[in-house]
Amino acid sequence: MEVLPTKADLLASLADRKGVPRVLVPTMGALHRGHTSLFDRAREVAGKDGVVIATLFVNPVQFGPHEDFDAYPRPLEADLEKCRARGVDLVFAPSADEVYAADRSVAVTENRLSTTLCGASRPGHFDGVCTVVAKFFALIRPDAAIFGEKDYQQLAVIRRLVRDLDFPVRILAAPTVREDDGLALSSRNRYLDSAQRAAAPVLARSLHEVAAGIASGTLPGPTEARQAFLDHFAAAAPARLDYFAMVDAATLEPLVDFAGQTPRLLAAAFFGQTRLIDNVGLPGDKALPLLLGPS
Ligand code: AMP
């Protein structure tokens, strides 16, 4: 495995590996089983002779001024060990100065899907995500890139980026990896104290309960479903809900009724200072990849 800190190193290494599939997994490091499941998927897609490239980069421009950029964990050696163990070929781990010119003046903005949900709570976040992902696509020119459904809005925004700017890269979605109690794995889970950690699975549980109720017809419309979500979520005494939304799985437009729709349920909540997100489709819902593109 090669660890590449500069763009020049990366380009030189890629130049030696022409003519084989390239599959990219962008991450911010602090790797867990969610990330390593993406590496495994990348290997399946790349094949044994292809190149699996991971990026480890805590992207400053996707953090708001009062967010956790400085505190975000950066366990580089442990991350490299995990990459090595999963058969990643190239790790691009640049500094912020290497990625961004001090006087940079171009950014990428997605203006529609980014405005709601996490985009409403985190202004500028998806501009930062789109900008860094566009830069990595331009540098690496992958055939495919793997993103987790855990960050569902991000996945939809990246698909839109690729469609609207004609990047020749297939965006593939990987399912959310969870703890045994349902909590979605996240690098931010390590911020939780024991009471918050004990409460955190309520986010996933509430989403799953509501999804099951919609699928079975016991929650016939968004009004009943919202109330049911709030009732379940109230069990997490120390948590504060940021949002709960029921949207069309492809467009992220809010649903006014469920008939003939493919709902996706998304929520974000604060456990202390830590903001966690999660989302689910309906049980047995196979429509997602078709609606969002090939997978
Ligand atoms: P991050 O390091 O948080 O930027 O995440 C890098 C990639 O890993 C993104 O595509 C995430 O959606 C994905 N990811 C994060 N957590 C999970 C998880 N629990 N299951 C699957 N994918 C995940």
Side-chain angles (χ1 to χ4, degrees):
M1 185 178 85
E2 290 179 64
V3 183
L4 309 162
T6 70
K7 295 178 193 177
D9 296 332
L10 175 67
L11 292 175
S13 179
L14 289 171
D16 290 341
R17 298 163 182 266
K18 288 217 169 71
V20 294
R22 276 183 200 169
V23 182
L24 172 64
V25 182
T27 83
M28 298 204 300
L31 301 178
H32 50 63
R33 285 183 293 112
H35 297 110
T36 55
S37 76
L38 272 48
F39 298 155
D40 293 347
R41 178 87 177 101
R43 175 56 64 197
E44 277 171 29
V45 173
K48 71 176 178 14
D49 298 326
V51 192
V52 172
I53 304 140
T55 61
L56 300 180
F57 181 58
V58 185
N59 176 30
V61 307
Q62 72 186 66
F63 286 77
H66 305 296
E67 293 185 349
D68 56 341
F69 175 71
D70 289 331
Y72 201 85
R74 293 164 170 86
L76 181 64
E77 284 310 317
D79 284 348
L80 293 177
E81 203 34 63
K82 287 177 186 153
C83 291
R84 216 170 267 124
R86 300 319 269 220
V88 171
D89 297 302
L90 306 184
V91 176
F92 182 44
S95 66
D97 292 345
E98 176 68 20
V99 173
Y100 294 111
D103 62 347
R104 71 193 182 88
S105 52
V106 176
V108 181
T109 300
E110 192 286 322
N111 278 313
R112 194 174 183 98
L113 305 177
S114 301
T115 57
T116 60
L117 307 167
C118 290
S121 306
R122 305 183 67 189
H125 169 68
F126 287 114
D127 293 357
V129 170
C130 285
T131 301
V132 79
V133 169
K135 284 165 71 70
F136 288 167
F137 285 173
L139 271 171
I140 295 167
R141 296 169 191 264
D143 299 289
I146 320 286
F147 289 85
E149 283 180 8
K150 157 77 175 22
D151 297 273
Y152 191 84
Q153 185 176 17
Q154 169 172 280
L155 177 61
V157 167
I158 297 294
R159 288 195 191 278
R160 187 60 65 92
L161 167 80
V162 162
R163 188 197 74 178
D164 286 2
L165 295 187
D166 296 311
F167 281 102
V169 51
R170 280 194 308 151
I171 303 301
L172 306 180
T176 301
V177 177
R178 299 178 179 281
E179 303 283 8
D180 289 344
D181 60 10
L183 177 65
L185 296 191
S186 163
S187 307
R188 291 190 169 100
N189 290 351
R190 68 184 69 190
Y191 300 154
L192 302 171
D193 68 23
S194 59
Q196 293 159 352
R197 174 61 187 84
V202 81
L203 191 60
R205 215 162 41 235
S206 306
L207 287 165
H208 280 106
E209 292 285 344
V210 173
I214 295 171
S216 69
T218 55
L219 298 171
T223 308
E224 295 83 358
R226 175 171 301 283
Q227 191 55 54
F229 181 88
L230 295 175
D231 292 345
H232 285 295
F233 189 79
R240 180 167 63 80
L241 188 64
D242 181 11
Y243 68 76
F244 166 65
M246 294 159 279
V247 302
D248 177 83
T251 65
L252 306 187
E253 294 291 333
L255 291 178
V256 289
D257 96 63
F258 298 139
Q261 305 289 337
T262 307
R264 195 83 190 178
L265 314 183
L266 300 91
F270 288 92
F271 295 78
Q273 301 296 309
T274 303
R275 185 173 175 281
L276 300 182
I277 60 173
D278 203 348
N279 70 90
V280 300
L282 263 45
D285 190 353
K286 299 280 186 285
L288 169 73
L290 299 175
L291 284 168
L292 279 180
S295 68

